[in-house]
Amino acid sequence: MFRSTFLGLSRAIAQPATPLTVRAAFQSRFYSAAAAASQPTTTATTTTPLQQQQQPTTQPTTPIQTQTGAAPTESTKPVAKPYLVGRAWTQRLPVYHLAKRGGNKKLTQIKKVQGDGQALRRDLAQFLGLEVKEVRVKVPTGHLEVDGHRREEIVKFLDGLGF
């Protein structure tokens, strides 16, 4: 007991506790009262047959309408592609400008490409109106390099695909 008071711990925390009291101590220390109230508790609830009858019934959901007022169709959904471009930890697309050879060679690099990089290369070259040889796949890293600074166009292309 001397050791726990020496370390500055209170008796409530120093004594063996159940998981519920540890959780409550943690919530009271690190969460505000509103956040602690929103955390799930482990209390059991029972409902009577009368309460079950009085609960409102949920209506079947209808398809969400788009801005034009029409329900979404299969053609408006993104088409599955054999490749995927992940997002950075900032939730932005990993498309970057590079300058090599003293700033004379301008490149745009796409990182976090998964799947078929060659298919992405062909689709991107077609969208940008470039020859396929102007878009390169770096095999060891899985990055794509495009000649020129074209970040805005590439981000527009990837956003259109739903990445």
Side-chain angles (χ1 to χ4, degrees):
M1 185 55 90
F2 172 76
R3 184 171 178 83
S4 65
T5 56
F6 178 72
L7 295 175
L9 300 174
S10 69
R11 286 185 179 181
I13 294 175
Q15 293 175 351
T18 63
L20 186 59
T21 57
V22 171
R23 183 178 189 184
F26 179 78
Q27 288 176 347
S28 66
R29 187 169 184 180
F30 294 106
Y31 292 115
S32 66
S38 68
Q39 296 293 325
T41 58
T42 58
T43 58
T45 59
T46 58
T47 58
T48 62
L50 181 61
Q51 290 174 338
Q52 289 176 355
Q53 291 175 356
Q54 293 175 349
Q55 291 179 349
T57 58
T58 58
Q59 299 294 327
T61 58
T62 58
I64 299 171
Q65 295 194 353
T66 58
Q67 293 176 353
T68 59
T73 61
E74 292 296 323
S75 63
T76 60
K77 293 181 181 176
V79 178
K81 296 284 186 179
Y83 49 83
L84 174 71
V85 178
R87 289 190 175 252
W89 66 274
T90 58
Q91 300 305 315
R92 297 178 66 188
L93 288 168
V95 181
Y96 308 101
H97 284 165
L98 299 176
K100 294 189 174 186
R101 298 182 188 167
N104 290 329
K105 185 173 184 178
K106 310 247 187 268
L107 299 172
T108 305
Q109 187 177 47
I110 306 170
K111 295 184 176 183
K112 298 192 178 217
V113 177
Q114 298 173 356
D116 190 5
Q118 295 295 330
L120 176 58
R121 176 186 180 200
R122 286 188 299 271
D123 292 347
L124 189 60
Q126 181 182 4
F127 178 79
L128 296 174
L130 301 173
E131 294 181 22
V132 177
K133 68 179 184 177
E134 295 180 61
V135 181
R136 290 169 298 284
V137 177
K138 300 293 186 178
V139 177
T141 59
H143 300 167
L144 262 74
E145 284 186 355
V146 181
D147 289 341
H149 281 182
R150 300 174 177 269
R151 183 184 190 287
E152 291 79 21
E153 299 168 65
I154 294 172
V155 168
K156 182 178 177 183
F157 168 73
L158 294 173
D159 278 337
L161 291 176
F163 296 125

